[in-house]
Amino acid sequence: MRIIRYYQSQDKEYWKNEIGKSDWSAAKLLYTLLDKNDLKKMCGNSTEVYLLEDDNKLISFAILAEQDEIDAPELSPWIGFVYTFPEYRGKHNAGKLIEHICSTAKTERIYISTEETGLYEKYGFTFWKIMTNREGKATRVYVKELVSQL
């Protein structure tokens, strides 16, 4: 298994299409944003898509972005679009990506917005508060302190 960065990959079209095979609506949005080259416009120029792959098969993906679905520029960066394909779940594959992103992020803290409960706590995130996303829906915001990693 290895983690690759989408924007540094020579096979962007292949990886974009692999993301598009997901049955998750947010992954379909990510696919569209990549296809139209709009992800960095929406989430910030430093945004990166991380892909966990094994033998050229996409297992899991996530992004590290300046902004996510919460309109709060003072909160940054965000991990978003976290997804593991069903046949690879239960093996902490998303956690491998999250830990990699956290270990490479040059920041004091990192945020995740989600409807999930109990998923991100096992990776060191703490529930912070309920916020409203850009669609006007309530979402749970988690934070992880990374000060010791600076």
Side-chain angles (χ1 to χ4, degrees), residues 31-73:
Y31 170 86
T32 300
L33 291 168
L34 292 171
D35 193 49
K36 294 182 177 181
N37 205 23
D38 285 342
L39 181 63
K40 290 187 176 197
K41 292 175 192 168
M42 185 175 106
C43 297
N45 287 331
S46 67
T47 298
E48 183 59 77
V49 181
Y50 290 87
L51 311 164
L52 179 65
E53 67 89 24
D54 189 24
D55 198 24
N56 218 33
K57 199 160 166 74
L58 185 58
I59 294 170
S60 191
F61 56 86
I63 73 165
L64 176 62
E66 295 168 42
Q67 291 300 300
D68 194 29
E69 66 175 352
I70 304 293
D71 187 16

Short mmCIF file of all heavy atoms in Angstrom, two decimals, residues 31-73:
data_model
loop_
_atom_site.label_atom_id
_atom_site.label_comp_id
_atom_site.label_asym_id
_atom_site.label_seq_id
_atom_site.Cartn_x
_atom_site.Cartn_y
_atom_site.Cartn_z
N TYR A 31 -15.47 14.12 -7.59
CA TYR A 31 -15.18 13.76 -8.98
C TYR A 31 -15.48 14.94 -9.91
O TYR A 31 -14.66 15.31 -10.75
CB TYR A 31 -15.99 12.54 -9.40
CG TYR A 31 -15.91 12.28 -10.89
CD1 TYR A 31 -14.87 11.53 -11.43
CD2 TYR A 31 -16.84 12.83 -11.75
CE1 TYR A 31 -14.77 11.32 -12.80
CE2 TYR A 31 -16.76 12.62 -13.13
CZ TYR A 31 -15.72 11.87 -13.63
OH TYR A 31 -15.62 11.68 -14.99
N THR A 32 -16.64 15.55 -9.74
CA THR A 32 -17.04 16.68 -10.59
C THR A 32 -16.10 17.86 -10.40
O THR A 32 -15.69 18.50 -11.39
CB THR A 32 -18.49 17.09 -10.28
OG1 THR A 32 -19.35 15.97 -10.53
CG2 THR A 32 -18.93 18.27 -11.12
N LEU A 33 -15.73 18.15 -9.17
CA LEU A 33 -14.81 19.26 -8.91
C LEU A 33 -13.45 19.01 -9.55
O LEU A 33 -12.83 19.93 -10.11
CB LEU A 33 -14.66 19.49 -7.40
CG LEU A 33 -15.89 20.04 -6.69
CD1 LEU A 33 -15.71 19.96 -5.17
CD2 LEU A 33 -16.17 21.47 -7.12
N LEU A 34 -12.98 17.78 -9.49
CA LEU A 34 -11.71 17.44 -10.14
C LEU A 34 -11.85 17.50 -11.66
O LEU A 34 -10.96 18.01 -12.35
CB LEU A 34 -11.24 16.04 -9.71
CG LEU A 34 -10.82 15.91 -8.24
CD1 LEU A 34 -10.59 14.45 -7.89
CD2 LEU A 34 -9.59 16.76 -7.94
N ASP A 35 -12.95 17.00 -12.17
CA ASP A 35 -13.18 16.97 -13.61
C ASP A 35 -13.23 18.38 -14.20
O ASP A 35 -12.71 18.63 -15.28
CB ASP A 35 -14.47 16.21 -13.91
CG ASP A 35 -14.62 15.88 -15.38
OD1 ASP A 35 -13.64 15.34 -15.97
OD2 ASP A 35 -15.70 16.16 -15.94
N LYS A 36 -13.84 19.29 -13.46
CA LYS A 36 -13.97 20.68 -13.94
C LYS A 36 -12.81 21.56 -13.47
O LYS A 36 -12.81 22.75 -13.72
CB LYS A 36 -15.30 21.27 -13.47
CG LYS A 36 -16.49 20.60 -14.09
CD LYS A 36 -17.77 21.25 -13.63
CE LYS A 36 -18.96 20.60 -14.32
NZ LYS A 36 -20.22 21.21 -13.91
N ASN A 37 -11.86 20.94 -12.76
CA ASN A 37 -10.71 21.66 -12.22
C ASN A 37 -11.15 22.78 -11.27
O ASN A 37 -10.58 23.88 -11.29
CB ASN A 37 -9.83 22.20 -13.35
CG ASN A 37 -8.40 22.39 -12.91
OD1 ASN A 37 -7.95 21.76 -11.95
ND2 ASN A 37 -7.68 23.27 -13.58
N ASP A 38 -12.18 22.51 -10.47
CA ASP A 38 -12.74 23.51 -9.56
C ASP A 38 -12.45 23.26 -8.09
O ASP A 38 -12.82 24.07 -7.24
CB ASP A 38 -14.26 23.58 -9.74
CG ASP A 38 -14.67 24.30 -11.01
OD1 ASP A 38 -13.83 25.03 -11.58
OD2 ASP A 38 -15.84 24.14 -11.42
N LEU A 39 -11.79 22.15 -7.74
CA LEU A 39 -11.58 21.84 -6.32
C LEU A 39 -10.76 22.92 -5.62
O LEU A 39 -11.14 23.40 -4.55
CB LEU A 39 -10.91 20.48 -6.15
CG LEU A 39 -10.68 20.05 -4.70
CD1 LEU A 39 -12.00 19.89 -3.96
CD2 LEU A 39 -9.87 18.76 -4.64
N LYS A 40 -9.66 23.34 -6.23
CA LYS A 40 -8.82 24.35 -5.60
C LYS A 40 -9.50 25.72 -5.58
O LYS A 40 -9.28 26.50 -4.67
CB LYS A 40 -7.46 24.42 -6.29
CG LYS A 40 -6.62 23.19 -6.02
CD LYS A 40 -5.22 23.33 -6.55
CE LYS A 40 -4.40 22.10 -6.16
NZ LYS A 40 -2.97 22.32 -6.29
N LYS A 41 -10.36 25.98 -6.55
CA LYS A 41 -11.12 27.23 -6.54
C LYS A 41 -12.06 27.26 -5.35
O LYS A 41 -12.26 28.29 -4.73
CB LYS A 41 -11.92 27.39 -7.84
CG LYS A 41 -11.07 27.62 -9.06
CD LYS A 41 -11.93 27.64 -10.32
CE LYS A 41 -11.05 27.56 -11.55
NZ LYS A 41 -11.82 27.30 -12.76
N MET A 42 -12.66 26.13 -5.04
CA MET A 42 -13.62 26.04 -3.94
C MET A 42 -12.94 25.93 -2.58
O MET A 42 -13.40 26.53 -1.60
CB MET A 42 -14.54 24.84 -4.15
CG MET A 42 -15.65 24.76 -3.12
SD MET A 42 -16.78 23.41 -3.48
CE MET A 42 -16.29 22.24 -2.24
N CYS A 43 -11.86 25.16 -2.50
CA CYS A 43 -11.28 24.82 -1.21
C CYS A 43 -9.93 25.48 -0.91
O CYS A 43 -9.42 25.33 0.19
CB CYS A 43 -11.11 23.31 -1.11
SG CYS A 43 -12.68 22.41 -1.17
N GLY A 44 -9.35 26.16 -1.88
CA GLY A 44 -8.06 26.83 -1.67
C GLY A 44 -6.96 26.22 -2.50
O GLY A 44 -6.96 25.02 -2.80
N ASN A 45 -6.01 27.06 -2.89
CA ASN A 45 -4.93 26.64 -3.80
C ASN A 45 -4.01 25.56 -3.25
O ASN A 45 -3.39 24.84 -4.02
CB ASN A 45 -4.11 27.86 -4.23
CG ASN A 45 -4.85 28.73 -5.20
OD1 ASN A 45 -5.69 28.25 -5.96
ND2 ASN A 45 -4.57 30.02 -5.17
N SER A 46 -3.91 25.46 -1.93
CA SER A 46 -3.01 24.44 -1.37
C SER A 46 -3.71 23.09 -1.18
O SER A 46 -3.10 22.14 -0.69
CB SER A 46 -2.44 24.92 -0.04
OG SER A 46 -3.47 25.01 0.93
N THR A 47 -4.95 22.98 -1.59
CA THR A 47 -5.71 21.74 -1.42
C THR A 47 -5.02 20.58 -2.12
O THR A 47 -4.53 20.71 -3.24
CB THR A 47 -7.14 21.91 -1.97
OG1 THR A 47 -7.78 22.94 -1.21
CG2 THR A 47 -7.94 20.62 -1.86
N GLU A 48 -5.01 19.44 -1.43
CA GLU A 48 -4.43 18.23 -2.00
C GLU A 48 -5.37 17.06 -1.75
O GLU A 48 -6.03 17.00 -0.71
CB GLU A 48 -3.07 17.93 -1.39
CG GLU A 48 -2.36 16.72 -1.99
CD GLU A 48 -2.10 16.82 -3.49
OE1 GLU A 48 -1.17 17.52 -3.89
OE2 GLU A 48 -2.86 16.19 -4.26
N VAL A 49 -5.44 16.15 -2.71
CA VAL A 49 -6.22 14.92 -2.60
C VAL A 49 -5.22 13.80 -2.34
O VAL A 49 -4.28 13.61 -3.11
CB VAL A 49 -7.03 14.63 -3.88
CG1 VAL A 49 -7.84 13.35 -3.71
CG2 VAL A 49 -7.91 15.81 -4.25
N TYR A 50 -5.43 13.08 -1.24
CA TYR A 50 -4.56 11.95 -0.89
C TYR A 50 -5.29 10.65 -1.21
O TYR A 50 -6.46 10.50 -0.90
CB TYR A 50 -4.20 12.00 0.60
CG TYR A 50 -3.28 13.15 0.92
CD1 TYR A 50 -3.79 14.41 1.22
CD2 TYR A 50 -1.90 12.98 0.91
CE1 TYR A 50 -2.95 15.47 1.50
CE2 TYR A 50 -1.05 14.05 1.19
CZ TYR A 50 -1.58 15.28 1.49
OH TYR A 50 -0.75 16.34 1.75
N LEU A 51 -4.56 9.75 -1.84
CA LEU A 51 -5.13 8.48 -2.29
C LEU A 51 -4.34 7.33 -1.68
O LEU A 51 -3.11 7.27 -1.81
CB LEU A 51 -5.04 8.39 -3.82
CG LEU A 51 -5.55 9.60 -4.60
CD1 LEU A 51 -5.06 9.56 -6.04
CD2 LEU A 51 -7.06 9.65 -4.55
N LEU A 52 -5.04 6.41 -1.04
CA LEU A 52 -4.42 5.19 -0.55
C LEU A 52 -4.71 4.12 -1.58
O LEU A 52 -5.88 3.84 -1.87
CB LEU A 52 -4.99 4.79 0.81
CG LEU A 52 -4.43 3.51 1.43
CD1 LEU A 52 -2.94 3.66 1.75
CD2 LEU A 52 -5.22 3.14 2.68
N GLU A 53 -3.65 3.58 -2.15
CA GLU A 53 -3.84 2.58 -3.21
C GLU A 53 -2.98 1.36 -2.93
O GLU A 53 -1.99 1.42 -2.22
CB GLU A 53 -3.53 3.18 -4.58
CG GLU A 53 -2.09 3.56 -4.83
CD GLU A 53 -1.25 2.45 -5.41
OE1 GLU A 53 -1.79 1.51 -6.04
OE2 GLU A 53 -0.03 2.49 -5.23
N ASP A 54 -3.41 0.26 -3.51
CA ASP A 54 -2.67 -0.98 -3.43
C ASP A 54 -2.76 -1.65 -4.78
O ASP A 54 -3.86 -1.93 -5.27
CB ASP A 54 -3.25 -1.88 -2.34
CG ASP A 54 -2.38 -3.10 -2.07
OD1 ASP A 54 -1.16 -3.03 -2.34
OD2 ASP A 54 -2.92 -4.10 -1.58
N ASP A 55 -1.62 -1.85 -5.41
CA ASP A 55 -1.55 -2.50 -6.72
C ASP A 55 -2.45 -1.78 -7.74
O ASP A 55 -3.20 -2.40 -8.48
CB ASP A 55 -1.93 -3.98 -6.60
CG ASP A 55 -1.46 -4.80 -7.79
OD1 ASP A 55 -0.50 -4.39 -8.47
OD2 ASP A 55 -2.08 -5.85 -8.05
N ASN A 56 -2.37 -0.44 -7.69
CA ASN A 56 -3.11 0.43 -8.62
C ASN A 56 -4.63 0.37 -8.43
O ASN A 56 -5.39 0.72 -9.32
CB ASN A 56 -2.74 0.13 -10.07
CG ASN A 56 -2.68 1.39 -10.90
OD1 ASN A 56 -2.30 2.45 -10.40
ND2 ASN A 56 -3.05 1.30 -12.15
N LYS A 57 -5.05 -0.06 -7.26
CA LYS A 57 -6.47 -0.11 -6.92
C LYS A 57 -6.73 0.89 -5.80
O LYS A 57 -6.06 0.85 -4.77
CB LYS A 57 -6.84 -1.52 -6.49
CG LYS A 57 -8.30 -1.81 -6.55
CD LYS A 57 -8.50 -3.31 -6.58
CE LYS A 57 -9.90 -3.69 -6.32
NZ LYS A 57 -10.89 -3.51 -7.25
N LEU A 58 -7.68 1.79 -6.00
CA LEU A 58 -7.99 2.81 -5.00
C LEU A 58 -8.73 2.19 -3.82
O LEU A 58 -9.76 1.55 -3.99
CB LEU A 58 -8.82 3.93 -5.63
CG LEU A 58 -9.11 5.13 -4.75
CD1 LEU A 58 -7.83 5.79 -4.24
CD2 LEU A 58 -9.95 6.15 -5.51
N ILE A 59 -8.19 2.40 -2.64
CA ILE A 59 -8.75 1.85 -1.41
C ILE A 59 -9.51 2.92 -0.65
O ILE A 59 -10.63 2.71 -0.19
CB ILE A 59 -7.62 1.26 -0.54
CG1 ILE A 59 -7.01 0.07 -1.26
CG2 ILE A 59 -8.13 0.89 0.85
CD1 ILE A 59 -5.75 -0.46 -0.62
N SER A 60 -8.88 4.09 -0.51
CA SER A 60 -9.44 5.16 0.30
C SER A 60 -8.91 6.50 -0.21
O SER A 60 -7.86 6.54 -0.85
CB SER A 60 -9.00 4.94 1.76
OG SER A 60 -9.69 5.78 2.65
N PHE A 61 -9.65 7.57 0.06
CA PHE A 61 -9.17 8.90 -0.32
C PHE A 61 -9.68 9.94 0.67
O PHE A 61 -10.63 9.70 1.42
CB PHE A 61 -9.57 9.27 -1.75
CG PHE A 61 -11.04 9.20 -2.06
CD1 PHE A 61 -11.89 10.27 -1.80
CD2 PHE A 61 -11.58 8.06 -2.63
CE1 PHE A 61 -13.24 10.20 -2.09
CE2 PHE A 61 -12.94 7.98 -2.94
CZ PHE A 61 -13.77 9.06 -2.67
N ALA A 62 -9.00 11.08 0.69
CA ALA A 62 -9.37 12.21 1.55
C ALA A 62 -8.65 13.44 1.01
O ALA A 62 -7.68 13.32 0.27
CB ALA A 62 -8.95 11.95 2.99
N ILE A 63 -9.15 14.61 1.39
CA ILE A 63 -8.46 15.84 0.99
C ILE A 63 -7.99 16.60 2.23
O ILE A 63 -8.55 16.46 3.31
CB ILE A 63 -9.32 16.75 0.09
CG1 ILE A 63 -10.44 17.44 0.88
CG2 ILE A 63 -9.88 16.00 -1.10
CD1 ILE A 63 -11.08 18.61 0.14
N LEU A 64 -6.96 17.41 2.02
CA LEU A 64 -6.52 18.40 2.98
C LEU A 64 -6.76 19.74 2.29
O LEU A 64 -6.22 19.97 1.20
CB LEU A 64 -5.05 18.23 3.33
CG LEU A 64 -4.46 19.30 4.26
CD1 LEU A 64 -5.16 19.30 5.62
CD2 LEU A 64 -2.96 19.11 4.41
N ALA A 65 -7.59 20.59 2.90
CA ALA A 65 -8.01 21.83 2.24
C ALA A 65 -7.97 23.01 3.19
O ALA A 65 -8.15 22.86 4.40
CB ALA A 65 -9.43 21.66 1.70
N GLU A 66 -7.76 24.18 2.60
CA GLU A 66 -7.81 25.42 3.37
C GLU A 66 -9.22 25.63 3.92
O GLU A 66 -9.40 26.07 5.04
CB GLU A 66 -7.41 26.60 2.50
CG GLU A 66 -5.98 26.55 2.02
CD GLU A 66 -5.71 27.57 0.93
OE1 GLU A 66 -6.18 28.72 1.04
OE2 GLU A 66 -5.02 27.20 -0.04
N GLN A 67 -10.23 25.34 3.10
CA GLN A 67 -11.63 25.53 3.48
C GLN A 67 -12.44 24.30 3.09
O GLN A 67 -12.11 23.62 2.14
CB GLN A 67 -12.22 26.77 2.81
CG GLN A 67 -11.65 28.07 3.34
CD GLN A 67 -11.88 28.25 4.83
OE1 GLN A 67 -13.02 28.27 5.28
NE2 GLN A 67 -10.82 28.35 5.60
N ASP A 68 -13.52 24.09 3.84
CA ASP A 68 -14.39 22.96 3.55
C ASP A 68 -15.82 23.48 3.49
O ASP A 68 -16.05 24.60 3.05
CB ASP A 68 -14.22 21.89 4.65
CG ASP A 68 -14.81 20.54 4.29
OD1 ASP A 68 -14.87 20.21 3.09
OD2 ASP A 68 -15.22 19.82 5.21
N GLU A 69 -16.77 22.70 3.95
CA GLU A 69 -18.17 23.08 3.82
C GLU A 69 -18.65 24.10 4.85
O GLU A 69 -19.77 24.57 4.79
CB GLU A 69 -19.06 21.84 3.88
CG GLU A 69 -19.04 21.14 5.22
CD GLU A 69 -20.01 19.98 5.28
OE1 GLU A 69 -20.81 19.80 4.35
OE2 GLU A 69 -19.97 19.24 6.28
N ILE A 70 -17.81 24.46 5.79
CA ILE A 70 -18.13 25.47 6.80
C ILE A 70 -17.55 26.81 6.33
O ILE A 70 -16.38 26.89 6.00
CB ILE A 70 -17.53 25.11 8.18
CG1 ILE A 70 -17.98 23.73 8.63
CG2 ILE A 70 -17.83 26.18 9.20
CD1 ILE A 70 -19.43 23.61 8.96
N ASP A 71 -18.36 27.84 6.33
CA ASP A 71 -17.88 29.16 5.93
C ASP A 71 -17.26 29.84 7.14
O ASP A 71 -17.89 30.64 7.83
CB ASP A 71 -19.04 30.00 5.36
CG ASP A 71 -18.56 31.31 4.76
OD1 ASP A 71 -17.34 31.43 4.50
OD2 ASP A 71 -19.40 32.19 4.55
N ALA A 72 -16.00 29.48 7.42
CA ALA A 72 -15.28 30.02 8.57
C ALA A 72 -13.79 30.10 8.21
O ALA A 72 -13.01 29.21 8.55
CB ALA A 72 -15.50 29.13 9.79
N PRO A 73 -13.39 31.14 7.49
CA PRO A 73 -12.00 31.26 7.05
C PRO A 73 -10.98 31.24 8.18
O PRO A 73 -9.82 30.90 7.96
CB PRO A 73 -11.95 32.61 6.31
CG PRO A 73 -13.35 33.06 6.17
CD PRO A 73 -14.21 32.26 7.07
#
